Amino acid sequence: LKLTRGKHNLVYKILKCAVACNKKYEPTWESLDSRPLPEWYDQAKFGIFIHWGVFSVPSFVSEWFWWYWKETRQKNVVDFMEKNYPPHFTYADFAKDFTAELYDPDQWADLFKESGAQYVVLTSKHHEGYTNWPSNVSWNWNSMDVGPHRDLVGELANSIRNRTYLKFGLYHSLFEWFNPLYLADKASNFTTRRYATEKSIQELYELVNTYKPDIVWSDGDPGPVEYWNSTGFLAWLYNDSPVKDMVVTNDRWGAGCMCKHGGYFTCQDRYSPGVLQHHKWENCMTIDRYSWGYRRNANIQDFLTIEEIISTFASTISCGGNMLMNVGPTKDGMIAPVFQDRLREFGSWLKVNGEAVYSSKPWRSQNDSVTPNIWYTEKPGTVYTFVLSWPKSNWIELGEPVPGNSTNEISLLGHKGLLEWYIRNSLLHIRMPNLNTSDLPCKWAWVLRLSGFV
Ligand SMILES: *[C@@H]1O[C@H](CO)[C@@H](O)[C@H](O)[C@H]1NC(C)=O
Ligand SMILES: *[C@@H]1O[C@H](CO)[C@@H](O)[C@H](O)[C@H]1NC(C)=O
Ligand SMILES: *[C@@H]1O[C@H](CO)[C@@H](O)[C@H](O)[C@H]1NC(C)=O
Ligand SMILES: *[C@@H]1O[C@H](CO)[C@@H](O)[C@H](O)[C@H]1NC(C)=O
Ligand SMILES: *[C@@H]1O[C@H](CO)[C@@H](O)[C@H](O)[C@H]1NC(C)=O
Ligand SMILES: *[C@@H]1O[C@H](CO)[C@@H](O)[C@H](O)[C@H]1NC(C)=O
């Protein structure tokens, strides 16, 4: 046995699995954090986030509508209610208008596939507490009893799995803003645990056993880890659940967990550090700059442009992250044309440039030292250079890549032929092809393939 010959040795791989695959995780962070992240996640790079719930009915300001209305008494939200609804209208009254009559999960699945995403994460329950599946522990506040009268989670899971190769993940909010059981536990300083044990944890087990998600995307900072028994749940998830081998988790499992414990790190919404991170991370961000849920009061300039999206994405994957890009469907179940447009544009860009994206690794440098707006990724023997703006002179100068000892060739993804290049004063000068706009391989950002550079 030549165990010293490295990771690619088959015997080494089998032995490693024999140890790792039978490993039992203890309900401690030390043990849970030692679990290797299933490889599919890092290879996937890009996923779609979906925020959908009763908040999609008022669809005003954001998915935090209920909180702004009742808790912080934000003026525009309070005024909106006073102007448009009778005095005794409650948030729960919105649920009957969560109709979803145009919800066609096959259409959603096809759109997500077209976008180039490799996984999808749907809100199964946001902080409002309404479950998008017929939960046994959410009496009369779930999508089967009130509103669509459908299993929104189950239908999307089926469509994604029947029509695409995408992975299917579920977002779940541990806490609920106004649940009386939760508020009572909170008032006891989390020494009583009725809400956690009778509601939140039960939901997590239901979701995993029923829908077998590839990602459990937990949310909720309030409340200590011991209150949620997150480590107990994760030990079950990793050891005994129906998804124990392939499931991926994030880092929001109770107070103080974010950016520290769990699977990959989300750290904060729209996290985009711009420098290499040594733990796998995810930039969850929104196409609508100001909201995760659908907002009728959004204007076109509130939506990220495709250039902004690609620039965020290039920086994210160069620094070791995945990007989880959010769309907010309407109460009737449509993904509005502006979201469709961005997803299709991004998909068309990935069709040309996916080689530099999927299964790539961060390179030794993340961005160039000389020319701004250049990001790098790597595959064995090849450095990929993301050029976010076409150089005016058609010549581009790079301070980082140097020719290695094997054959050195440079090409533009989506374009036939090799590009001219030379080194002067330690700078790599590359001549971009002389192309008319209509002949460009893609419209917004271009990727150079540098073979044999190191
Ligand atoms: C989709 O998949 C589910 C189970 O995953 C199955 O019950 C259903 O019949 C499938 N539908 C189609 C149209 O294949
Ligand atoms: C709800 O309870 C019933 C009866 O115990 C069970 O058959 C069903 O699978 C449960 N639903 C979920 C989503 O766990
Ligand atoms: C925590 O979860 C584990 C695994 O389900 C369970 O065995 C244990 O009893 C739970 N502990 C508490 C305090 O709820
Ligand atoms: C490369 O990225 C770092 C960190 O974000 C930044 O400080 C630096 O200015 C960038 N370099 C160039 C040439 O833009
Ligand atoms: C090229 O090969 C020489 C001799 O084997 C070695 O010293 C050098 O480090 C190599 N250069 C690169 C960039 O790999
Ligand atoms: C660009 O278009 C013009 C006019 O159609 C044509 O004469 C020229 O050859 C084209 N250039 C390239 C590089 O294709």
Side-chain angles (χ1 to χ4, degrees):
L1 295 185
K2 290 183 181 166
L3 279 179
T4 48
R5 280 189 54 190
K7 287 186 179 175
H8 300 293
N9 182 301
L10 185 62
V11 174
Y12 174 89
K13 273 192 179 167
I14 292 168
L15 284 185
K16 192 176 151 207
C17 183
V19 177
C21 297
N22 291 327
K23 177 162 179 182
K24 279 278 172 195
Y25 295 96
E26 302 292 324
T28 62
W29 286 128
E30 193 188 4
S31 174
L32 297 167
D33 288 346
S34 74
R35 178 177 183 259
L37 197 68
E39 279 178 6
W40 70 263
Y41 178 78
D42 176 49
Q43 293 164 356
K45 305 298 178 192
F46 171 46
I48 302 282
F49 213 173
I50 309 163
H51 274 65
W52 202 27
V54 171
F55 50 80
S56 312
V57 176
S59 50
F60 183 69
V61 179
S62 92
E63 71 292 341
W64 278 62
F65 182 91
W66 193 6
W67 183 259
Y68 295 150
W69 176 24
K70 292 295 180 187
E71 189 71 23
T72 60
R73 309 286 297 159
Q74 191 172 300
K75 186 169 179 341
N76 56 348
V77 174
V78 173
D79 288 354
F80 172 88
M81 288 311 295
E82 273 173 11
K83 249 183 167 162
N84 299 296
Y85 291 87
H88 299 297
F89 196 91
T90 67
Y91 187 79
D93 293 331
F94 281 121
K96 69 175 185 328
D97 291 325
F98 185 21
T99 48
E101 73 269 39
L102 304 179
Y103 174 43
D104 179 349
D106 283 355
Q107 230 175 49
W108 286 23
D110 293 348
L111 173 67
F112 300 150
K113 185 177 175 183
E114 185 76 22
S115 78
Q118 304 292 298
Y119 59 102
V120 172
V121 179
L122 168 69
T123 49
S124 65
K125 181 195 83 172
H126 201 256
H127 312 323
E128 64 187 13
Y130 180 92
T131 62
N132 283 334
W133 81 100
S135 170
N136 283 336
V137 292
S138 192
W139 184 78
N140 220 22
W141 193 229
N142 68 75
S143 65
M144 196 60 86
D145 289 346
V146 56
H149 301 290
R150 289 166 72 174
D151 178 1
L152 305 178
V153 171
E155 287 189 37
L156 188 61
N158 283 346
S159 291
I160 295 280
R161 291 189 167 128
N162 291 350
R163 299 174 78 83
T164 75
Y165 49 79
L166 307 193
K167 303 276 186 190
F168 181 70
L170 289 171
Y171 165 106
H172 175 264
S173 171
L174 289 173
F175 73 102
E176 294 171 21
W177 291 317
F178 301 116
N179 187 308
L181 286 181
Y182 173 69
L183 294 176
D185 288 352
K186 194 175 161 195
S188 81
N189 214 6
F190 298 109
T191 52
T192 62
R193 299 185 57 230
R194 275 195 68 194
Y195 168 80
T197 57
E198 293 172 28
K199 183 87 178 18
S200 208
I201 295 169
Q202 297 307 321
E203 290 169 342
L204 283 168
Y205 285 105
E206 272 188 10
L207 285 172
V208 172
N209 286 321
T210 313
Y211 305 107
K212 304 181 177 56
D214 300 298
I215 299 178
V216 180
W217 209 109
S218 178
D219 198 9
D221 230 5
V225 171
E226 297 71 30
Y227 170 74
W228 300 113
N229 194 13
S230 302
T231 51
F233 170 75
L234 287 170
W236 171 80
L237 188 70
Y238 295 169
N239 290 332
D240 301 311
S241 80
V243 290
K244 64 188 171 64
D245 295 324
M246 296 305 273
V247 74
V248 169
T249 63
N250 68 343
D251 58 347
R252 303 188 180 186
W253 295 100
C257 272
M258 244 194 312
C259 235
K260 258 207 193 119
H261 295 300
Y264 64 76
F265 291 170
T266 63
C267 299
Q268 68 205 36
D269 294 355
R270 303 182 182 81
Y271 183 58
S272 189
V275 292
L276 184 63
Q277 304 295 299
H278 295 285
H279 189 280
K280 186 67 199 178
W281 61 282
E282 181 178 70
N283 176 0
C284 58
M285 42 74 82
T286 54
I287 297 180
D288 174 353
R289 292 168 215 275
Y290 305 114
S291 179
W292 301 78
Y294 180 70
R295 256 184 341 129
R296 289 173 297 147
N297 58 318
N299 290 305
I300 192 66
Q301 66 271 19
D302 297 341
F303 296 87
L304 295 185
T305 63
I306 186 65
E307 288 86 351
E308 290 172 311
I309 290 169
I310 294 174
S311 161
T312 301
F313 185 59
S315 154
T316 297
I317 63 173
S318 296
C319 298
N322 279 15
M323 186 171 85
L324 184 63
M325 185 157 77
N326 181 75
V327 299
T330 63
K331 73 181 179 80
D332 27 50
M334 288 301 291
I335 295 174
V338 64
F339 292 114
Q340 293 185 26
D341 185 58
R342 294 302 183 274
L343 295 188
R344 286 184 200 284
E345 285 180 324
F346 196 51
S348 73
W349 181 83
L350 277 168
K351 268 206 186 85
V352 173
N353 300 298
E355 176 188 327
V357 170
Y358 305 120
S359 299
S360 68
K361 297 281 176 200
W363 191 41
R364 61 170 171 80
S365 291
Q366 278 55 66
N367 56 343
D368 198 58
S369 47
V370 172
T371 303
N373 295 322
I374 301 278
W375 295 93
Y376 294 108
T377 62
E378 178 185 30
K379 279 184 179 171
T382 306
V383 175
Y384 293 98
T385 306
F386 293 70
V387 180
L388 298 183
S389 44
W390 193 274
K392 283 213 177 73
S393 65
N394 251 22
W395 283 91
I396 193 159
E397 287 94 51
L398 300 178
E400 287 298 326
V402 294
N405 285 331
S406 55
T407 314
N408 306 117
E409 287 177 345
I410 301 183
S411 56
L412 178 67
L413 293 190
H415 176 70
K416 283 208 180 73
L418 298 177
L419 305 186
E420 192 187 322
W421 61 272
Y422 64 87
I423 307 264
R424 184 181 296 157
N425 299 332
S426 312
L427 281 193
L428 172 60
H429 297 251
I430 305 167
R431 184 188 164 138
M432 301 291 273
N434 200 9
L435 290 176
N436 284 343
T437 314
S438 59
D439 296 328
L440 289 172
C442 56
K443 285 195 270 185
W444 307 285
W446 301 269
V447 180
L448 297 170
R449 183 201 288 116
L450 277 56
S451 312
F453 284 76
V454 293

